[in-house]
């Protein structure tokens, strides 16, 4: 069996998690309010920023089950989690699995988080019904998904720049961007939406180059879109992106507005 290439997963963790994903994960965890001793399913966990944030909250008597369909993300996430120095660190289990094929015993989890992940599920309704089956009757689900791409200025600049050169941008990360789509998905899967907000956060990068290179190396969907470019096309692409993002420059680099939906849902009665 050949070794799994961890380059993209490490790039995702080092270039994108601190600036782009961690702030939104922290906000989602605030909404989820994990409690000491709870069992949490962190679905589409990536390299595990949500799992790490929730670890001390559920503590040594709790458990976090981290699941992602990318084995490289699971390997990196498990490695980072193992380095946490905390006597009260939650027990963690890591699974390389699609959400649709991953199932748990009924009434076995208190909380499910799907952070910037619902839009990537190949069969979202099936995955959510699996979650519903595993949730305690008093359990809850917290999901986040990017709002419309036009409201996420960095990715919008990348998408429009690719289109100018005749290349297909990555739009799947923003496929639940319209306000009702995520809400309707949860309701049709058997959940009751308790709270739904759309929030904006500004994300700082040291430069346009840092942002673009981070996305090109680590973002699962967008890196494949950018990989379509040859050297000459990439130069033009970068010029377009740099020009589009010039309004967001500051003394520290660039500050990019991002917008996402955050939803808290419970099993419908």
């Amino acid at each position: 069996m050949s070794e799994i290439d961890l380059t993209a997963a490490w790039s995702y963790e080092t270039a994108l998690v601190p600036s782009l994903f961690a702030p939104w994960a922290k906000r989602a965890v605030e909404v989820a309010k994990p409690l000491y001793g709870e069992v949490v399913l962190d679905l589409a966990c990536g390299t595990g920023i949500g799992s790490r944030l929730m670890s001390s909250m559920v503590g040594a008597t709790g458990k976090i089950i981290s699941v992602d369909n990318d084995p490289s993300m699971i390997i990196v996430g498990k490695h980072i989690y193992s380095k946490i120095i905390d006597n009260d660190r939650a027990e963690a289990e890591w699974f390389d699995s699609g959400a649709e094929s991953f199932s748990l015993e009924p009434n076995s989890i208190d909380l499910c988080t799907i952070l910037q992940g619902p839009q990537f599920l190949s069969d979202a309704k099936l995955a959510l019904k699996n979650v519903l089956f595993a949730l305690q009757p008093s359990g809850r689900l917290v999901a986040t998904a990017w709002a419309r791409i036009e409201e996420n200025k960095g990715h919008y600049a990348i998408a429009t720049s690719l289109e100018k050169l005749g290349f297909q941008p990555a739009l799947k990360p923003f496929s639940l961007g319209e306000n009702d789509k995520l809400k309707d998905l949860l309701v049709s899967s058997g959940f009751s939406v308790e709270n739904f907000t759309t929030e904006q956060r500004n994300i700082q990068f040291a430069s346009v180059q840092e942002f673009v290179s981070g996305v090109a190396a680590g973002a699962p969907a967008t890196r494949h879109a950018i990989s379509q470019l040859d050297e000459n096309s990439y130069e033009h692409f970068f010029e377009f992106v740099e020009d589009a993002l010039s309004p967001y420059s500051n003394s520290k680099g660039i500050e990019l507005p991002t917008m996402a939906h955050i939803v808290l849902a419970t099993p419908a009665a």
Side-chain angles (χ1 to χ4, degrees), residues 11 24 31 35 39 52 86 104 119 130 146-147 157 163 168 174 185 189 219 259 262:
S11 294
W24 283 108
V31 173
L35 300 176
V39 177
R52 299 197 296 272
D86 184 352
L104 293 165
Q119 61 270 46
N130 286 343
W146 297 120
E163 287 176 333
Q168 179 64 39
F174 308 94
L185 172 62
S189 301
M259 186 175 287
I262 306 173

Side-chain angles (χ1 to χ4, degrees), residues 4 46 48 51 70 104 116 127 133 162 192 195 198 200 203 228:
I4 296 172
S51 301
D70 184 338
L104 293 165
Q116 299 299 352
F133 178 77
L162 284 169
S192 174
N195 189 46
T198 301
Q200 180 178 306
I203 304 299
Q228 302 172 93

Side-chain angles (χ1 to χ4, degrees), residues 103-127:
S103 59
L104 293 165
E105 293 296 316
N107 305 322
S108 60
I109 60 172
D110 301 289
L111 166 66
C112 175
T113 56
I114 315 178
L115 308 183
Q116 299 299 352
Q119 61 270 46
F120 293 109
L121 300 175
S122 58
D123 187 336
K125 284 188 178 181
L126 175 58

Side-chain angles (χ1 to χ4, degrees), residues 144-234:
T144 63
W146 297 120
R148 296 169 61 249
I149 191 171
E150 291 85 355
E151 307 298 339
N152 289 277
K153 301 303 182 183
H155 284 85
Y156 186 55
I158 286 175
T160 54
S161 298
L162 284 169
E163 287 176 333
K164 283 181 182 178
L165 294 167
F167 293 95
Q168 179 64 39
L171 300 178
K172 192 172 182 61
F174 308 94
S175 58
L176 293 177
E178 298 296 336
N179 279 5
D180 289 337
K181 282 191 173 182
L182 180 57
K183 191 183 302 184
D184 291 346
L185 172 62
L186 288 164
V187 170
S188 64
S189 301
F191 286 89
S192 174
V193 173
E194 303 296 328
N195 189 46
F196 185 98
T197 61
T198 301
E199 301 180 12
Q200 180 178 306
R201 305 183 88 78
N202 290 340
I203 304 299
Q204 184 74 44
F205 283 88
S207 64
V208 174
Q209 179 64 51
E210 182 185 83
F211 169 68
V212 174
S213 61
V215 168
T222 308
R223 76 169 184 265
H224 292 301
I226 294 176
S227 70
Q228 302 172 93
L229 303 171
D230 59 26
E231 186 176 343
N232 184 57
S233 296
Y234 185 87

Side-chain angles (χ1 to χ4, degrees), residues 17 36 45 73-74 76 79 110 113 140 158 194 199-200 204 215 221 224 228 235 240 247 249 253 261 263:
V17 167
Y36 201 82
C45 66
M73 293 286 195
I74 290 295
V76 170
H79 173 78
D110 301 289
T113 56
R140 64 224 185 267
I158 286 175
E194 303 296 328
E199 301 180 12
Q200 180 178 306
Q204 184 74 44
V215 168
H224 292 301
Q228 302 172 93
E235 288 182 11
F240 291 149
S249 63
H261 307 306
V263 60

Side-chain angles (χ1 to χ4, degrees), residues 21 34 45 52 84 86 96-97 101 124 161 173 219 246 261:
F21 291 107
C45 66
R52 299 197 296 272
I84 296 175
D86 184 352
D96 161 24
S97 172
S101 58
S161 298
S246 60
H261 307 306

